[in-house]
Amino acid sequence: MTMPTRLGQAVKAHMQNGGVAPGPIVGHPRSGRWTFLIQPDLPDDVRLFAELFRMDVAVARAGATITLPSPTASAGAIRQWIVPPRNAFKPSGAAVVEAVRAWADQMPRTRRGSGTFHVG
């Protein structure tokens, strides 16, 4: 699940404050985006993807290829680890969606989507 860096920072903080490990996160410094590596447990629902799209969040479908940074990626690299993987853990996609929605609830209506799809 890829989103702007500022949103990614808020999502990571929300998850950690709620006791949910964010799992591995890849930073893309040149494009100003973060990618959360998640479990492929989100429903294949157009309404959900449209809601996330309105918040500038993209979801790669199960089986998509995601290029990861090298373990020694430097600060000037195209990709870098924000949170490197420590084991095989990846958070539920629903947990990341919940954190995105928590951020959206704090934003003025003009800056967020208005979808009402429930995950989980």
Side-chain angles (χ1 to χ4, degrees), residues 3-66:
M3 61 196 70
T5 297
R6 182 171 155 222
L7 174 55
Q9 291 166 337
V11 166
K12 178 179 176 275
H14 179 82
M15 292 176 73
Q16 289 173 322
N17 291 339
V20 178
I25 303 172
V26 178
H28 312 273
R30 292 181 185 173
S31 64
R33 298 183 70 77
W34 280 13
T35 298
F36 286 70
L37 303 182
I38 61 173
Q39 292 292 328
D41 62 351
L42 292 177
D44 189 16
D45 189 289
V46 173
R47 294 174 296 165
L48 172 61
F49 296 134
E51 174 190 356
L52 294 171
F53 179 79
R54 287 189 296 272
M55 291 183 273
D56 200 13
V57 177
V59 179
R61 295 199 182 265
T65 300
I66 298 173

Side-chain angles (χ1 to χ4, degrees), residues 47-117:
R47 294 174 296 165
L48 172 61
F49 296 134
E51 174 190 356
L52 294 171
F53 179 79
R54 287 189 296 272
M55 291 183 273
D56 200 13
V57 177
V59 179
R61 295 199 182 265
T65 300
I66 298 173
T67 304
L68 303 175
S70 74
T72 59
S74 65
I78 294 172
R79 287 170 297 280
Q80 60 191 23
W81 288 109
I82 303 300
V83 177
R86 291 174 179 36
N87 51 38
F89 172 78
K90 291 186 295 281
S92 164
V96 179
V97 168
E98 177 185 321
V100 168
R101 287 176 173 157
W103 169 85
D105 287 345
Q106 298 173 14
M107 295 290 99
R109 178 61 77 179
T110 57
R111 292 200 54 203
R112 64 183 182 104
S114 59
T116 58
F117 186 81

